[in-house]
Amino acid sequence: MARRAMGEGGGPGRGAVKAARRPEVRLPPLEPFREGELEPDGDYDGLEFREEDLTGQDGGGARFMDCALTGCALDGTRLQHARILDSALTGLRGVGTDLAESTLRDVELVDARLGGVQLHGAALERVVIRGGKIDYLNLRKARLTDVVFEGCVLVEPDFGGARLERVEFVDCAVKGADLTGVTLADVDLRGAAELDIARGVDRLSGAVISSGQLLDLAPVLAAQLGIRVEG
């Protein structure tokens, strides 16, 4: 059931917040990946990548369908324009993974430990990012539709110029977010355990926040509006 946005005085807002549609990933029996290294434009269907070291490999333009990647190292792995569909990604780790302009649809990303992930220009649809920590996530000009950030830590995520529709933040910490030029529709921030917006607080139209978050953001909002607060 959709939740009501809260207006002034705690009453119901003018419209409901549309909930994100979560993915339902049901993997078939999988075959182990035995091909050694990723290949550009490779086609991977029904495979399990377990504890694979994919450091520095080039899988640009590859398609992953009904796959499980578990405990894999992705340091500097190149996956630009890749398509990751109906797949479960668990315990991934790495720095500088390049997923620019890729497509993630019906994907669960669980307990990742990643830094400097490039997802600019990417399309995420029905994606859950649960647990783990992602530093310096680059989502500039990305499109996020039906995405849930749950129980994770996002350090200085960059949403500049991105479009977020039906996106939820649940029990997660968002630190130093950049919302410059972002477009929001049905974005629910009320469940964030920590919400720190470094830039773009003026772009919160289309989001719903709690009264406590409003108080926390008051200094940033005042600075944005040029209001001096004294006494």
Side-chain angles (χ1 to χ4, degrees):
M1 179 180 296
R3 291 172 287 183
R4 300 293 294 179
M6 299 302 292
E8 293 183 1
R14 286 182 291 180
V17 182
K18 296 179 182 177
R21 296 175 295 171
R22 294 178 178 241
E24 296 183 4
V25 180
R26 296 186 177 90
L27 296 176
L30 304 177
E31 294 291 330
F33 173 72
R34 295 194 177 97
E35 298 178 28
E37 291 196 2
L38 298 176
E39 295 182 358
D41 300 316
D43 196 357
Y44 306 102
D45 196 340
L47 296 177
E48 180 181 32
F49 298 75
R50 179 170 290 276
E51 306 293 338
E52 293 286 339
D53 186 355
L54 305 177
T55 297
Q57 295 185 25
D58 188 356
R63 183 186 76 113
F64 299 83
M65 177 78 175
D66 289 327
C67 287
L69 280 72
T70 305
C72 295
L74 298 176
D75 294 278
T77 306
R78 296 180 294 278
L79 293 164
Q80 309 99 316
H81 301 284
R83 290 173 293 159
I84 304 175
L85 315 170
D86 298 286
S87 294
L89 317 177
T90 305
L92 303 184
R93 63 191 187 279
V95 175
T97 308
D98 191 350
L99 282 154
E101 299 182 344
S102 60
T103 297
L104 281 70
R105 186 169 66 240
D106 293 305
V107 168
E108 295 179 352
L109 175 61
V110 180
D111 294 334
R113 295 283 176 175
L114 299 169
V117 177
Q118 300 300 312
L119 273 164
H120 54 85
L124 283 66
E125 183 176 358
R126 292 189 301 275
V127 172
V128 169
I129 298 174
R130 181 184 302 113
K133 181 183 180 185
I134 305 179
D135 297 325
Y136 312 115
L137 175 61
N138 183 352
L139 282 162
R140 294 186 70 82
K141 296 187 178 179
R143 299 184 308 279
L144 284 68
T145 308
D146 295 310
V147 175
V148 179
F149 296 93
E150 184 173 38
C152 57
V153 178
L154 303 177
V155 178
E156 297 189 27
D158 188 350
F159 295 97
R163 177 172 179 81
L164 282 64
E165 183 173 0
R166 295 189 302 276
V167 175
E168 299 178 16
F169 295 80
V170 182
D171 296 327
C172 61
V174 182
K175 304 180 180 183
D178 188 346
L179 302 182
T180 304
V182 75
T183 301
L184 309 179
D186 292 305
V187 173
D188 196 341
L189 292 160
R190 291 174 294 180
E194 179 179 346
L195 179 60
D196 173 34
I197 299 174
R199 289 172 293 279
V201 70
D202 59 316
R203 303 294 297 190
L204 282 173
S205 176
V208 59
I209 62 175
S210 69
S211 55
Q213 289 169 334
L214 177 60
L215 291 175
D216 291 339
L217 291 172
V220 183
L221 287 166
Q224 180 67 43
L225 296 170
I227 300 172
R228 289 173 52 188
V229 181
E230 299 180 357

